[in-house]
Amino acid sequence: MVNQMFFMGIDIGSSGCKVSVVDEKGNIIKNSSKNYSFTYEGNTIELSPEMVYESTVEAIRAITDENPSLHIDAISAASFGEMVVLLDENDKVLTNSISYSDLRGQSQIREFSKEFGEDNIYSVTGTTPDAMYSLAKLLWFKENRRDIFSKTKKICLFADFILQKFGADYHMDYSLASRTQMFDITHRCWSDEIVSRLGIDKSILPPLVPSGTPVGTISKKASADLGIEEGTLILAGGHDQCFASLGAGIIHEGMALDGMGSNECVVPVFSTPMINETMKESSFACVPYLLEGKYVTYAFNRTSGSVIDWYKKLRQNISYDELFENIENSPSRVLFLPHFAGAATPYMDDDATGAIAGLDLSVTPDEVTKGIIDGLNYEIKINLDALKKAGHRVSKLYVSGGLSKNDKVLQTKADILGMDVCRLETSQAGTVAVAILGSVAKGIYSDIERAVEKIVRIDKIFTPDMENHKKYALRYEKYKKMYENIKNITKRN
């Protein structure tokens, strides 16, 4: 009989960090959070690594101070990717991290891709050249802040930066490394050619490990700061989307997580690297997953819950229950294009804007609500169709996040996509992933597949109404024409 174990998961997000304690069965025991914010100056968007660390410490202390006898068996962290933390020879942060949405590095990565070859970059890294990746930011520092670039002796992303502050060895997991655009996804190593053309010594890049690998223990100093016992096991973290997918039990081909938060991201898993022209044209990255030999991609819409919030405010801030209460279980007459922050995959058009079509004097607010929900799901279907064209078919969707709590929203999703939609018991799938990795590291379960079988739980399955699906399919054909037909009218520039 194994004594009850507790694992601490840290989720480093763009607007704040969340800390959760979960047991070996995946039950959430304690939660805490701390907000922080980017700094904006002109066209620059930056985040302070020290502020993120301090906020993480505060969020952890809120749990450990209230529960001083709580024993943590292992700790790990997930974070967004791309945003690079530069450290000097004494592990001191040299500068703020440039946001993935900050366009600095755009001209540098354009020149780099001309020299190296856009197809070569994609075939090696599984990513298309873009200013959001770490490589572009490093190229910008090299050209514009040589004083910082020359002093850089370690390069981190946020999850491994936080864990190293806790006492972990210098490391980076594969899923985060793939967001740097310097990682060879086939051989799972740093690309010698890309690194040499960047002009850095490869020795300053961290050793690479799979997520869940033991990478150290809580140091004496970190123990005093955090209220966690010295010597507590630290496990390598990873990219937040990968962690959420594992926590949702996404381990077999045909399965995908649909994270329905402020934005919406579908993460399917496949067994071989998916690198082909269709994937490239759709800007679908190929990312090493947390299971050995598996890969995922990210098909996403930059606005989802955030669009619902926008419309909710226009409706005098009515409650979510009131907003969805009277919507019909049928296609709306209103067609809604949700490109409120540009178009994501498969278009990747930063200048695109949203649009509403089909309005007349008889349209009701509830029809507009339903049109928004339909549009969000049509956009996901466009991505799933692009994935199918690239050679990967999603047959079952697992959902988490705020919008997944509403039954009508999920029934619409099932009817539009024509597939089962499974709602998870917990909305904190990333934390559940820590329990999965921790329970395997501690020997509770023999492998990740066994841990997923025991820990991940489904709340409800929504089965598509295929007659309704046919009706949605007719509207979808009209929706598919919206982006191309109006982009030159509505685009920002």
Side-chain angles (χ1 to χ4, degrees):
M1 181 69 181
V2 177
N3 292 328
Q4 189 173 22
M5 288 190 176
F6 298 102
F7 307 101
M8 180 173 282
I10 303 162
D11 182 0
I12 307 297
S14 57
S15 60
C17 63
K18 298 176 183 177
V19 177
S20 301
V21 176
V22 59
D23 68 15
E24 78 281 359
K25 296 179 180 179
N27 300 307
I28 309 294
I29 308 301
K30 298 289 179 183
N31 281 311
S32 178
S33 62
K34 179 70 177 179
N35 292 333
Y36 43 75
S37 60
F38 286 94
T39 58
Y40 298 84
E41 186 175 339
N43 294 322
T44 68
I45 311 170
E46 298 181 352
L47 185 63
S48 164
E50 293 99 332
M51 178 179 64
V52 173
Y53 175 72
E54 291 164 5
S55 297
T56 304
V57 171
E58 287 185 48
I60 292 174
R61 289 299 317 209
I63 293 176
T64 57
D65 286 348
E66 189 178 316
N67 306 274
S69 61
L70 180 64
H71 174 74
I72 302 297
D73 290 277
I75 187 170
S76 190
S79 76
F80 47 71
E82 300 93 37
M83 289 175 56
V84 65
V85 181
L86 306 181
L87 306 178
D88 69 10
E89 59 188 3
N90 299 312
D91 290 345
K92 181 181 177 182
V93 174
L94 287 165
T95 185
N96 284 347
S97 296
I98 301 175
S99 170
Y100 40 73
S101 57
D102 186 315
L103 293 180
R104 280 179 288 177
Q106 193 173 58
S107 62
Q108 287 80 14
I109 193 63
R110 191 180 297 122
E111 289 301 314
F112 186 90
S113 63
K114 284 180 182 177
E115 177 190 349
F116 192 82
E118 185 174 322
D119 289 342
N120 286 339
I121 292 174
Y122 187 74
S123 66
V124 172
T125 70
T127 55
T128 54
D130 196 285
M132 72 175 171
Y133 294 112
S134 309
L135 175 60
K137 307 311 181 190
L138 290 168
L139 289 166
W140 183 88
F141 276 111
K142 179 182 180 182
E143 184 173 313
N144 295 278
R145 293 298 307 273
R146 191 75 197 188
D147 55 325
I148 291 174
F149 188 81
S150 62
K151 292 177 182 176
T152 298
K153 301 303 177 187
K154 285 184 179 179
I155 292 172
C156 307
L157 296 188
F158 269 79
D160 46 281
F161 166 70
I162 294 296
L163 295 178
Q164 287 162 54
K165 294 277 282 186
F166 290 172
D169 298 330
Y170 188 39
H171 73 282
M172 189 180 292
D173 90 290
Y174 299 147
S175 66
L176 279 174
S178 71
R179 308 309 289 169
T180 67
Q181 206 158 67
M182 298 186 291
F183 178 72
D184 184 329
I185 63 165
T186 303
H187 301 98
R188 301 206 174 196
C189 63
W190 296 115
S191 166
D192 288 333
E193 193 171 3
I194 291 177
V195 171
S196 65
R197 293 196 185 201
L198 172 61
I200 61 172
D201 189 327
K202 199 169 80 167
S203 66
I204 75 173
L205 294 171
L208 295 163
V209 297
S211 295
T213 300
V215 288
T217 59
I218 296 292
S219 67
K220 183 176 182 179
K221 181 184 184 306
S223 175
D225 291 342
L226 304 173
I228 297 175
E229 185 178 349
E230 183 181 356
T232 298
L233 183 65
I234 301 174
L235 303 176
H239 193 232
D240 50 11
Q241 296 293 350
C242 282
F243 262 55
S245 298
L246 181 62
I250 309 302
I251 57 175
H252 300 300
E253 288 212 27
M255 303 170 71
L257 171 68
D258 185 348
M260 302 173 66
S262 295
N263 53 31
E264 188 164 3
C265 185
V266 174
V267 187
V269 62
F270 32 90
S271 298
T272 57
M274 291 277 289
I275 301 175
N276 58 51
E277 190 61 28
T278 303
M279 289 283 286
K280 176 176 170 288
E281 288 175 355
S282 301
S283 294
F284 290 140
C286 184
V287 182
Y289 193 34
L290 309 189
L291 283 87
E292 182 67 29
K294 301 282 188 180
Y295 294 81
V296 296
T297 193
Y298 305 137
F300 63 101
N301 175 19
R302 289 171 178 160
T303 52
S304 184
S306 56
V307 164
I308 297 292
D309 288 341
W310 164 80
Y311 186 61
K312 182 171 165 288
K313 289 177 183 176
L314 294 185
R315 297 279 301 273
Q316 304 299 315
N317 272 326
I318 63 176
S319 70
Y320 287 104
D321 288 341
E322 291 173 316
L323 187 66
F324 301 132
E325 184 178 11
N326 297 315
I327 61 174
E328 299 291 333
N329 186 27
S330 59
S332 174
R333 290 186 292 163
V334 173
L335 285 172
F336 179 85
L337 191 67
H339 298 164
F340 276 43
T345 56
Y347 309 117
M348 295 308 286
D349 181 355
D350 292 340
D351 295 328
T353 60
I356 304 177
L359 297 176
D360 63 34
L361 293 175
S362 69
V363 169
T364 67
D366 288 329
E367 285 182 285
V368 177
T369 299
K370 185 58 166 56
I372 293 172
I373 295 168
D374 291 355
L376 292 171
N377 286 297
Y378 291 145
E379 193 72 5
I380 294 303
K381 182 167 174 53
I382 279 179
N383 276 280
L384 294 182
D385 287 351
L387 281 168
K388 185 177 179 180
K389 183 180 177 183
H392 183 76
R393 181 175 178 272
V394 173
S395 56
K396 185 177 286 189
L397 210 56
Y398 295 73
V399 295
S400 67
L403 279 179
S404 70
K405 296 175 183 177
N406 187 275
D407 286 8
K408 289 185 177 181
V409 170
L410 294 192
Q411 188 60 54
T412 296
K413 184 178 289 292
D415 289 351
I416 287 177
L417 301 181
M419 67 178 67
D420 285 351
V421 172
C422 308
R423 180 167 60 204
L424 300 166
E425 268 193 14
T426 179
S427 61
Q428 298 185 46
T431 299
V432 173
V434 176
I436 292 169
L437 295 173
S439 62
V440 172
K442 286 290 187 177
I444 299 174
Y445 303 113
S446 57
D447 53 42
I448 285 176
E449 288 83 353
R450 180 66 172 168
V452 165
E453 178 186 323
K454 292 294 184 180
I455 291 174
V456 178
R457 296 186 290 273
I458 302 300
D459 170 52
K460 185 175 180 178
I461 299 176
F462 296 82
T463 302
D465 178 332
M466 296 312 292
E467 286 303 312
N468 234 5
H469 176 64
K470 293 175 184 177
K471 296 175 185 177
Y472 281 113
L474 296 175
R475 296 296 286 168
Y476 175 61
E477 290 304 312
K478 295 181 181 294
Y479 177 85
K480 286 194 295 184
K481 301 173 183 177
M482 283 188 75
Y483 168 72
E484 289 294 339
N485 284 339
I486 71 171
K487 69 177 181 179
N488 292 324
I489 301 172
T490 62
K491 68 190 305 183
R492 292 181 179 87
N493 298 312

